[in-house]
């Protein structure tokens, strides 16, 4: 992984700063939240349990916390969700959304937020997000250019 802090020569703008060896970015991909075969989807006794996160999801977030807690600076890292975070191709949208909600609840607890910001880049399994964005952009274009 590229060390952007080093590339920038240690120049950070704003009040908060990263320490010399701090984690500035966390990049996660291919979580496929909601997929029944995903360890990150909470399946108990063969049934989806969407009211709480899976044990593996909790452990993943615990690992992220442990890594981030090692940062010396005051600035929190940016989380990059890099494609296929949701499984919208092979499962129902509400199951994927509820599983994603459990993940968000773990990483953005009020007062205990792990990240400064989150960047979401859809992949081919969360293509519905691309479609919504494309349709929304087209509607905005039409509204700006009435015939």
């Amino acid at each position: 992984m590229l060390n952007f802090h080093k590339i920038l020569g240690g120049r950070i703008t704003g009040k908060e700063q990263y320490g010399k060896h701090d984690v500035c970015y966390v990049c996660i991909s291919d979580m496929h939240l909601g997929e029944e075969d995903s360890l990150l989807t909470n399946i108990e006794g063969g049934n989806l349990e969407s009211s709480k996160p899976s044990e593996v999801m909790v452990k993943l977030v615990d690992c992220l916390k442990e890594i981030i807690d090692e940062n010396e600076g005051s600035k929190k890292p940016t989380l990059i969700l890099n494609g296929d975070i949701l499984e919208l191709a092979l499962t129902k949208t509400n199951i994927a959304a509820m599983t994603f909600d459990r993940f968000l609840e773990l990483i953005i607890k009020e007062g205990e937020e792990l990240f400064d910001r989150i960047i979401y880049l859809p992949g081919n399994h969360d293509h519905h997000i691309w479609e919504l964005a494309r349709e929304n952009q087209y509607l905005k274009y039409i509204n700006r250019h009435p015939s």
Side-chain angles (χ1 to χ4, degrees), residues 57-75:
M57 183 184 290
V58 171
K59 294 294 184 188
L60 170 66
V61 173
D62 287 346
C63 287
L64 293 173
K65 284 180 189 176
E66 191 173 318
I67 291 166
I68 293 167
D69 283 347
E70 294 293 318
N71 281 4
E72 296 174 1
S74 59
K75 186 165 177 59

Side-chain angles (χ1 to χ4, degrees), residues 28-89:
I28 300 176
S29 69
D30 296 287
M31 295 174 79
H32 295 275
L33 299 175
E35 169 58 41
E36 65 185 36
D37 294 335
S38 171
L39 295 173
L40 299 171
T41 301
N42 194 14
I43 305 290
E44 293 183 4
N47 298 313
L48 174 71
E49 175 53 63
S50 61
S51 65
K52 61 183 182 177
S54 73
E55 290 181 28
V56 174
M57 183 184 290
V58 171
K59 294 294 184 188
L60 170 66
V61 173
D62 287 346
C63 287
L64 293 173
K65 284 180 189 176
E66 191 173 318
I67 291 166
I68 293 167
D69 283 347
E70 294 293 318
N71 281 4
E72 296 174 1
S74 59
K75 186 165 177 59
K76 296 177 183 179
T78 295
L79 174 62
I80 301 171
L81 298 174
N82 193 22
D84 294 346
I85 301 306
L86 301 175
E87 179 55 69
L88 298 177

Side-chain angles (χ1 to χ4, degrees), residues 48 50-51 86 93-103 105:
L48 174 71
S50 61
S51 65
L86 301 175
T93 303
N94 64 326
I95 293 172
M98 288 186 290
T99 307
F100 187 55
D101 281 346
R102 300 299 78 82
F103 178 66
E105 289 168 357

Side-chain angles (χ1 to χ4, degrees), residues 127-142:
H127 62 89
H128 293 74
I129 294 171
W130 281 113
E131 292 299 318
L132 282 172
R134 185 177 58 82
E135 290 170 6
N136 192 23
Q137 183 180 19
Y138 184 63
L139 287 173
K140 286 179 182 179
Y141 175 80
I142 290 172

